[in-house]
Amino acid sequence: MEIPYKIYLEESELPTQWYNVRADMKNKPAPLLNPANGEPAGLDMLSAVFCRELAEQELDNDTAYIDIPEEIQSFYKMYRPSPLVRAYCLEKALGTPAKIYYKFEGNNTSGSHKLNSAIAQAFYAKKQGLKGVTTETGAGQWGTALSMACAYFGLDCKVYMVKVSYEQKPFRREVMRTYGANVTPSPSETTEVGRKILAEFPGTTGSLGCAISEAVEVALHTEGYRYVLGSVLNQVLLHQSVIGLESMAACDKYDIKPDIIIGCAGGGSNLGGLISPFMGRKLRGEADYRFIAVEPASCPSLTRGKFAYDFCDTGKVCPLAKMYTLGSGFIPSPNHAGGLRYHGMSSIISQLYDDGLMEARSCEQTSVFDAAQQFARIEGILPAPESSHAIRVAIDEAMRCKETGEEKTILFGLTGTGYFDMVAYQKYNDGEMTDYIPTDEDIAKSLAALPDVR
Ligand SMILES: *Cc1c(COP(=O)(O)O)cnc(C)c1O
């Protein structure tokens, strides 16, 4: 069958349920723990922080398919299905016998896959009768997606934006404000944890872990508010499974059988979402695939971190998660421009990786931007630096096929566009981008502060 450049599904073929890969995992991801007593965090504790139904999804290790509420399906239809693209032009330019496909999630105003979970989280907050939600944002994609989702459901949205991004990415900030969000640079004077961090480190430009602490504090102390998070959590991977389900339906429709499935990994949500249904088939023994997580060499949680319980935030107010981590105090080198800077990794991805069901690889940022530039010039899309980690490894694998003559089928997740990352591209274009790989001592230092559990 002739395979079109772009494979779209009909509306009637869109997923009506999310897929929860935990249901098929023999070794379930470890539970979140209450930092006060080391006991598993139950529904009561989690629903003080998160919306009730989202807390239930967080804890649900058994239900394989969960209905996507009608309201969310309608919103999805405004920008989904996302195209599955056959990279004919890239294949030709590389001269590879490999077949390359990518699932492009950048075709919405927020510019990334994060909207898939933002709209779900806003829906459950609205359904619960809440007034609003709080969150943090680093590069700004999550804050933008959540602002759009909250505007749609008429919810208030308070975003704590890492100060350095707030100052360097004024346009991201303005998109959020256009959608009605209230954006505060973090650390700020508006929270106790923010004031404490400012007193201890005056002039700090902030971090993701610190912004999380501020957002959680505000949610816990404001009537009618809950905290929402754009990655890492089980519930987020569940919502993002829409990426994998659409990809799988499109592949099945055209009898495409991927051999290698690749995704960039920050907190693990797009990767988890893309691979979940395929991993389900692998776990059930129905098919086999190679899965590759790609992370920056400057923030290598899977390839150089430790699988242990750790804090999710700097202020240590969140439950503890068992994950591959570099330690909650780990901050990537200031020259790192490519995103994916969270110190930990989704518990689901961590467990699958620890069980040997998937691989991980790290890439230096100059080689990631080489791939980004090559891709932009050949396939036309200006990719986000995060997404370009997956492009790097997809190209590497395609070049390996060229050497061996193997006709492998490669599928990768192209998570978003890079329009707001032009400062990073500028550095690259000016030849000023450098690589920094943390030393073993750097990593040992932040790992020394892991909490003492189990
Ligand atoms: C946030 C983001 C990522 C990384 O987050 P994951 O949770 O690991 O998917 C990757 N690409 C883009 C474009 C993003 O906005």
Coordinates of all heavy atoms in Angstrom, one line a residue, residues 87 89-102 260-263 290 292 294 361 363 366-381 383 387-404 406 408-414 428:
A87 N 8.8 10.6 6.9 CA 9.9 11.5 6.6 C 10.6 11.1 5.3 O 11.8 10.9 5.3 CB 10.8 11.6 7.7
C89 N 11.5 12.9 2.8 CA 12.5 13.8 2.4 C 13.8 13.6 3.2 O 14.9 13.6 2.7 CB 12.0 15.2 2.5 SG 10.6 15.6 1.5
L90 N 13.6 13.3 4.5 CA 14.8 13.1 5.3 C 15.4 11.7 4.9 O 16.7 11.6 4.9 CB 14.3 13.0 6.8 CG 15.4 12.8 7.8 CD1 16.5 13.9 7.8 CD2 14.8 12.7 9.3
E91 N 14.6 10.7 4.7 CA 15.2 9.4 4.3 C 16.1 9.6 3.0 O 17.2 9.0 3.0 CB 14.1 8.4 3.9 CG 13.3 7.9 5.1 CD 12.0 7.2 4.7 OE1 11.9 6.8 3.5 OE2 11.1 7.0 5.6
K92 N 15.5 10.3 2.1 CA 16.2 10.5 0.8 C 17.5 11.3 1.1 O 18.6 10.9 0.5 CB 15.3 11.3 -0.1 CG 15.8 11.3 -1.6 CD 14.7 11.8 -2.5 CE 15.3 12.2 -3.8 NZ 14.6 13.3 -4.5
A93 N 17.5 12.4 1.9 CA 18.7 13.2 2.1 C 19.7 12.3 2.8 O 20.9 12.5 2.6 CB 18.3 14.4 3.0
L94 N 19.3 11.4 3.7 CA 20.3 10.6 4.4 C 20.7 9.4 3.6 O 21.7 8.8 3.9 CB 19.6 10.0 5.7 CG 19.2 11.1 6.8 CD1 18.5 10.3 8.0 CD2 20.4 11.9 7.3
G95 N 20.0 9.1 2.6 CA 20.3 7.9 1.7 C 20.2 6.6 2.5 O 21.0 5.7 2.3
T96 N 19.2 6.6 3.4 CA 19.1 5.4 4.3 C 18.0 4.5 3.8 O 17.0 4.9 3.2 CB 18.8 5.8 5.7 OG1 18.5 4.6 6.5 CG2 17.5 6.7 5.8
P97 N 18.2 3.1 3.9 CA 17.1 2.2 3.6 C 16.0 2.2 4.7 O 14.9 1.6 4.5 CB 17.8 0.9 3.5 CG 19.0 1.0 4.4 CD 19.4 2.4 4.3
A98 N 16.3 2.9 5.8 CA 15.3 2.9 6.9 C 14.1 3.7 6.5 O 14.2 4.6 5.7 CB 16.0 3.5 8.2
K99 N 13.0 3.3 7.1 CA 11.7 4.1 7.0 C 11.5 4.9 8.2 O 11.5 4.3 9.3 CB 10.6 3.2 6.7 CG 10.7 2.3 5.4 CD 9.5 1.4 5.2 CE 9.7 0.6 4.0 NZ 10.8 -0.5 4.2
I100 N 11.4 6.2 8.1 CA 11.3 7.1 9.3 C 9.9 7.7 9.3 O 9.4 8.3 8.4 CB 12.4 8.2 9.2 CG1 13.8 7.6 9.0 CG2 12.4 9.0 10.5 CD1 14.9 8.6 8.8
Y101 N 9.3 7.6 10.5 CA 8.0 8.3 10.8 C 8.2 9.2 12.0 O 8.9 8.8 12.9 CB 6.9 7.3 11.0 CG 6.6 6.4 9.9 CD1 7.3 5.2 9.6 CD2 5.5 6.7 9.0 CE1 7.0 4.4 8.5 CE2 5.2 5.9 7.9 CZ 6.0 4.8 7.7 OH 5.7 4.0 6.6
Y102 N 7.5 10.3 12.0 CA 7.4 11.0 13.3 C 6.0 11.5 13.5 O 5.2 11.8 12.6 CB 8.4 12.2 13.3 CG 8.2 13.2 12.2 CD1 7.4 14.3 12.3 CD2 9.0 13.1 11.0 CE1 7.3 15.3 11.3 CE2 8.9 14.1 10.0 CZ 8.0 15.1 10.2 OH 7.9 16.1 9.2
I260 N 11.8 0.4 16.0 CA 12.5 1.2 17.0 C 11.6 2.4 17.2 O 11.2 3.1 16.3 CB 13.8 1.7 16.5 CG1 14.7 0.6 16.0 CG2 14.6 2.5 17.6 CD1 16.0 1.0 15.3
I261 N 11.3 2.7 18.5 CA 10.4 3.8 18.9 C 11.2 4.7 19.8 O 11.7 4.3 20.8 CB 9.1 3.4 19.5 CG1 8.4 2.4 18.6 CG2 8.2 4.6 19.8 CD1 7.1 1.9 19.1
I262 N 11.3 6.0 19.4 CA 12.3 6.9 20.1 C 11.5 8.1 20.6 O 10.7 8.7 19.9 CB 13.3 7.4 19.1 CG1 14.1 6.2 18.5 CG2 14.3 8.4 19.7 CD1 14.9 6.5 17.3
G263 N 11.9 8.6 21.8 CA 11.3 9.8 22.3 C 12.3 10.5 23.2 O 13.1 9.9 23.9
R290 N 12.0 -2.1 20.0 CA 13.1 -1.4 20.8 C 12.6 0.0 21.1 O 12.2 0.7 20.3 CB 14.4 -1.3 20.0 CG 15.3 -2.5 20.0 CD 16.5 -2.2 19.2 NE 17.4 -1.2 19.8 CZ 18.3 -0.5 19.1 NH1 18.4 -0.7 17.8 NH2 19.0 0.4 19.7
I292 N 13.7 3.7 22.8 CA 14.9 4.5 23.3 C 14.5 5.8 23.8 O 13.8 6.6 23.1 CB 15.9 4.7 22.1 CG1 16.2 3.3 21.4 CG2 17.1 5.3 22.6 CD1 17.1 3.5 20.2
V294 N 15.7 9.4 25.1 CA 16.9 10.3 24.8 C 16.9 11.5 25.7 O 15.9 12.2 25.8 CB 16.9 10.8 23.3 CG1 18.3 11.4 23.0 CG2 16.6 9.7 22.4
R361 N 19.7 6.8 26.2 CA 20.9 7.3 25.6 C 20.9 8.8 25.9 O 19.9 9.5 26.0 CB 20.8 7.1 24.0 CG 22.1 6.8 23.4 CD 21.8 6.5 21.9 NE 21.4 5.1 21.7 CZ 21.1 4.7 20.5 NH1 21.3 5.4 19.4 NH2 20.7 3.4 20.3
C363 N 22.7 12.7 24.8 CA 23.3 13.4 23.7 C 23.7 14.8 24.2 O 23.1 15.4 24.9 CB 22.2 13.6 22.6 SG 21.7 12.1 21.9
T366 N 25.3 20.3 21.4 CA 25.7 20.8 20.0 C 25.2 19.8 19.0 O 24.8 20.1 17.9 CB 27.2 21.0 19.9 OG1 27.9 19.9 20.4 CG2 27.6 22.3 20.7
S367 N 25.4 18.5 19.3 CA 25.0 17.5 18.3 C 23.4 17.4 18.2 O 22.9 17.1 17.1 CB 25.5 16.1 18.7 OG 24.7 15.5 19.7
V368 N 22.7 17.8 19.2 CA 21.3 17.9 19.2 C 20.8 19.0 18.3 O 19.9 18.9 17.4 CB 20.7 18.1 20.6 CG1 19.2 18.5 20.6 CG2 20.8 16.8 21.4
F369 N 21.5 20.2 18.4 CA 21.2 21.3 17.5 C 21.6 21.1 16.1 O 21.0 21.6 15.1 CB 21.8 22.6 18.1 CG 20.9 23.2 19.1 CD1 20.9 22.8 20.4 CD2 19.9 24.2 18.8 CE1 20.0 23.3 21.4 CE2 19.1 24.8 19.7 CZ 19.1 24.3 21.0
D370 N 22.7 20.3 15.9 CA 23.1 19.9 14.5 C 21.9 19.1 13.9 O 21.5 19.4 12.7 CB 24.3 18.9 14.5 CG 25.6 19.6 14.9 OD1 25.7 20.8 14.8 OD2 26.5 18.8 15.2
A371 N 21.3 18.2 14.6 CA 20.2 17.4 14.1 C 19.0 18.3 13.9 O 18.2 18.2 12.9 CB 19.8 16.3 15.1
A372 N 18.8 19.3 14.8 CA 17.6 20.2 14.7 C 17.7 21.0 13.4 O 16.8 21.2 12.6 CB 17.6 21.2 15.9
Q373 N 18.9 21.5 13.1 CA 19.1 22.3 11.9 C 18.9 21.5 10.6 O 18.3 21.9 9.7 CB 20.6 22.9 11.9 CG 20.8 23.9 10.8 CD 22.3 24.2 10.7 OE1 23.1 23.3 10.3 NE2 22.7 25.4 10.9
Q374 N 19.5 20.3 10.7 CA 19.4 19.4 9.5 C 17.9 19.1 9.2 O 17.4 19.2 8.1 CB 20.1 18.1 9.8 CG 20.3 17.2 8.6 CD 21.1 16.0 9.0 OE1 21.5 15.7 10.2 NE2 21.5 15.2 8.0
F375 N 17.2 18.8 10.3 CA 15.8 18.5 10.2 C 14.9 19.7 9.7 O 14.1 19.5 8.8 CB 15.2 18.0 11.6 CG 13.8 17.5 11.5 CD1 13.6 16.2 11.2 CD2 12.8 18.3 11.9 CE1 12.3 15.7 11.1 CE2 11.5 17.8 11.8 CZ 11.2 16.5 11.5
A376 N 15.2 20.8 10.3 CA 14.5 22.0 9.9 C 14.7 22.3 8.4 O 13.7 22.6 7.7 CB 15.0 23.2 10.7
R377 N 15.9 22.1 7.9 CA 16.2 22.4 6.5 C 15.6 21.4 5.5 O 15.2 21.7 4.4 CB 17.7 22.5 6.3 CG 18.2 23.8 7.0 CD 19.7 23.9 6.8 NE 20.2 25.1 7.5 CZ 21.5 25.5 7.6 NH1 22.4 24.8 6.9 NH2 21.8 26.5 8.3
I378 N 15.4 20.1 6.0 CA 15.0 19.1 5.1 C 13.5 18.9 5.2 O 12.7 18.8 4.2 CB 15.7 17.8 5.4 CG1 17.2 17.9 5.1 CG2 15.1 16.6 4.5 CD1 18.1 16.8 5.6
E379 N 13.0 18.8 6.5 CA 11.5 18.5 6.7 C 10.7 19.7 6.9 O 9.5 19.6 7.0 CB 11.4 17.5 7.9 CG 11.8 16.1 7.6 CD 10.8 15.3 6.7 OE1 9.6 15.5 6.9 OE2 11.3 14.5 5.8
G380 N 11.3 20.9 7.0 CA 10.5 22.1 7.0 C 10.1 22.6 8.4 O 9.8 23.8 8.5
I381 N 10.0 21.7 9.4 CA 9.5 22.1 10.7 C 10.7 22.6 11.5 O 11.7 21.9 11.6 CB 8.8 20.9 11.4 CG1 7.6 20.5 10.6 CG2 8.5 21.2 12.8 CD1 6.9 19.2 11.1
P383 N 12.1 22.5 14.9 CA 11.8 21.7 16.0 C 12.2 22.4 17.3 O 13.1 23.1 17.4 CB 12.6 20.4 15.8 CG 13.8 20.9 15.0 CD 13.4 22.1 14.2
S387 N 12.6 18.3 21.5 CA 12.2 17.3 20.4 C 13.4 16.8 19.7 O 13.5 15.7 19.2 CB 11.2 17.9 19.4 OG 10.3 18.7 20.1
S388 N 14.4 17.7 19.5 CA 15.6 17.5 18.7 C 16.4 16.4 19.2 O 17.3 15.8 18.5 CB 16.3 18.8 18.4 OG 15.5 19.8 17.9
H389 N 16.3 16.1 20.5 CA 17.0 14.9 21.1 C 16.6 13.6 20.4 O 17.4 12.8 20.1 CB 16.8 14.8 22.6 CG 17.5 15.9 23.4 ND1 17.1 17.2 23.4 CD2 18.6 15.9 24.2 CE1 17.9 17.9 24.2 NE2 18.8 17.1 24.6
A390 N 15.3 13.6 20.2 CA 14.7 12.4 19.5 C 15.2 12.3 18.0 O 15.5 11.3 17.5 CB 13.2 12.3 19.6
I391 N 15.2 13.5 17.4 CA 15.6 13.6 16.0 C 17.1 13.1 15.9 O 17.4 12.3 15.0 CB 15.6 15.0 15.5 CG1 14.1 15.6 15.6 CG2 16.1 15.1 14.1 CD1 14.0 17.1 15.2
R392 N 17.9 13.5 16.9 CA 19.3 13.1 16.8 C 19.5 11.6 16.8 O 20.1 11.0 15.9 CB 20.0 13.7 18.1 CG 21.4 13.2 18.4 CD 22.5 13.9 17.5 NE 22.6 13.2 16.2 CZ 23.0 13.7 15.1 NH1 23.4 15.0 15.1 NH2 23.1 13.1 14.0
V393 N 18.8 10.9 17.7 CA 18.9 9.5 17.7 C 18.2 8.8 16.6 O 18.7 7.8 16.1 CB 18.4 8.9 19.1 CG1 18.3 7.4 19.1 CG2 19.4 9.4 20.2
A394 N 17.1 9.4 16.1 CA 16.4 8.8 14.9 C 17.4 8.8 13.7 O 17.5 7.9 13.0 CB 15.2 9.5 14.6
I395 N 18.1 10.0 13.5 CA 19.0 10.1 12.4 C 20.2 9.1 12.6 O 20.6 8.4 11.7 CB 19.6 11.5 12.3 CG1 18.4 12.4 11.8 CG2 20.7 11.6 11.3 CD1 18.8 13.9 11.7
D396 N 20.7 9.0 13.9 CA 21.8 8.1 14.1 C 21.4 6.6 13.8 O 22.2 5.9 13.2 CB 22.2 8.1 15.6 CG 22.9 9.5 16.0 OD1 23.3 10.2 15.0 OD2 23.1 9.7 17.2
E397 N 20.2 6.3 14.2 CA 19.7 4.9 13.9 C 19.5 4.7 12.4 O 19.8 3.6 11.9 CB 18.4 4.6 14.7 CG 18.6 4.4 16.2 CD 19.5 3.3 16.6 OE1 19.4 2.2 15.9 OE2 20.3 3.4 17.5
A398 N 19.0 5.7 11.7 CA 18.9 5.6 10.3 C 20.2 5.5 9.6 O 20.3 4.7 8.6 CB 18.1 6.8 9.7
M399 N 21.2 6.2 10.1 CA 22.6 6.1 9.5 C 23.2 4.7 9.7 O 23.9 4.2 8.9 CB 23.5 7.2 10.0 CG 23.0 8.6 9.5 SD 22.7 8.7 7.8 CE 24.4 8.7 7.2
R400 N 22.8 4.1 10.9 CA 23.3 2.8 11.2 C 22.7 1.8 10.1 O 23.4 0.9 9.7 CB 23.0 2.4 12.6 CG 23.6 1.1 13.0 CD 23.4 0.8 14.5 NE 23.7 2.0 15.3 CZ 23.9 2.0 16.6 NH1 24.0 0.8 17.2 NH2 24.1 3.1 17.2
C401 N 21.5 2.0 9.8 CA 20.8 1.1 8.8 C 21.5 1.3 7.5 O 21.6 0.3 6.7 CB 19.3 1.5 8.7 SG 18.3 1.0 10.1
K402 N 22.0 2.5 7.2 CA 22.7 2.7 5.9 C 23.9 1.9 5.9 O 24.2 1.3 4.8 CB 23.0 4.2 5.8 CG 23.6 4.6 4.4 CD 23.8 6.1 4.4 CE 24.4 6.5 3.1 NZ 24.5 8.0 3.0
E403 N 24.6 1.8 7.0 CA 25.8 1.0 7.0 C 25.5 -0.5 6.9 O 26.2 -1.2 6.2 CB 26.6 1.2 8.4 CG 27.4 2.5 8.5 CD 27.8 2.8 9.9 OE1 28.0 1.8 10.7 OE2 28.0 4.0 10.2
T404 N 24.5 -1.0 7.6 CA 24.2 -2.4 7.6 C 23.3 -2.8 6.5 O 23.1 -4.0 6.2 CB 23.6 -2.8 8.9 OG1 22.4 -2.1 9.1 CG2 24.5 -2.5 10.1
E406 N 20.1 -2.6 6.6 CA 18.8 -3.0 7.2 C 17.7 -2.0 6.9 O 17.9 -0.8 7.1 CB 19.0 -3.2 8.7 CG 19.8 -4.4 9.2 CD 20.0 -4.4 10.7 OE1 20.7 -3.5 11.1 OE2 19.4 -5.2 11.3
K408 N 15.1 -1.0 8.6 CA 14.3 -0.9 9.8 C 13.2 0.2 9.7 O 13.4 1.2 9.0 CB 15.2 -0.5 11.0 CG 16.2 -1.6 11.3 CD 15.9 -2.1 12.7 CE 16.3 -3.5 13.0 NZ 17.7 -3.9 13.2
T409 N 12.2 0.1 10.5 CA 11.2 1.2 10.6 C 11.3 1.9 11.9 O 11.3 1.3 13.0 CB 9.7 0.6 10.4 OG1 9.6 0.0 9.1 CG2 8.7 1.6 10.6
I410 N 11.5 3.2 11.8 CA 11.8 4.0 13.0 C 10.6 5.0 13.2 O 10.2 5.6 12.2 CB 13.1 4.8 12.8 CG1 14.3 3.9 12.6 CG2 13.3 5.8 13.9 CD1 15.6 4.6 12.1
L411 N 10.1 5.0 14.4 CA 9.1 6.0 14.7 C 9.6 6.9 15.9 O 10.1 6.4 16.9 CB 7.8 5.2 15.2 CG 6.7 6.0 15.9 CD1 6.1 7.1 15.0 CD2 5.6 5.1 16.4
F412 N 9.5 8.2 15.7 CA 9.9 9.0 16.8 C 8.9 10.1 17.1 O 8.1 10.5 16.2 CB 11.3 9.6 16.6 CG 11.5 10.7 15.6 CD1 11.3 12.1 16.0 CD2 11.8 10.4 14.3 CE1 11.5 13.1 15.1 CE2 12.0 11.5 13.4 CZ 11.8 12.8 13.8
G413 N 8.9 10.6 18.3 CA 8.0 11.7 18.8 C 8.6 13.0 18.5 O 9.7 13.3 19.0
L414 N 7.9 13.9 17.7 CA 8.4 15.2 17.5 C 7.4 16.1 18.3 O 6.3 16.4 17.9 CB 8.3 15.6 16.0 CG 8.9 17.0 15.7 CD1 10.4 16.9 15.8 CD2 8.6 17.5 14.3
Y428 N 23.6 28.8 19.0 CA 24.1 27.7 18.1 C 24.6 28.3 16.8 O 25.7 28.1 16.3 CB 23.0 26.7 17.8 CG 23.4 25.7 16.8 CD1 24.2 24.6 17.1 CD2 22.9 25.7 15.5 CE1 24.6 23.7 16.2 CE2 23.2 24.8 14.6 CZ 24.1 23.7 14.9 OH 24.5 22.8 14.0

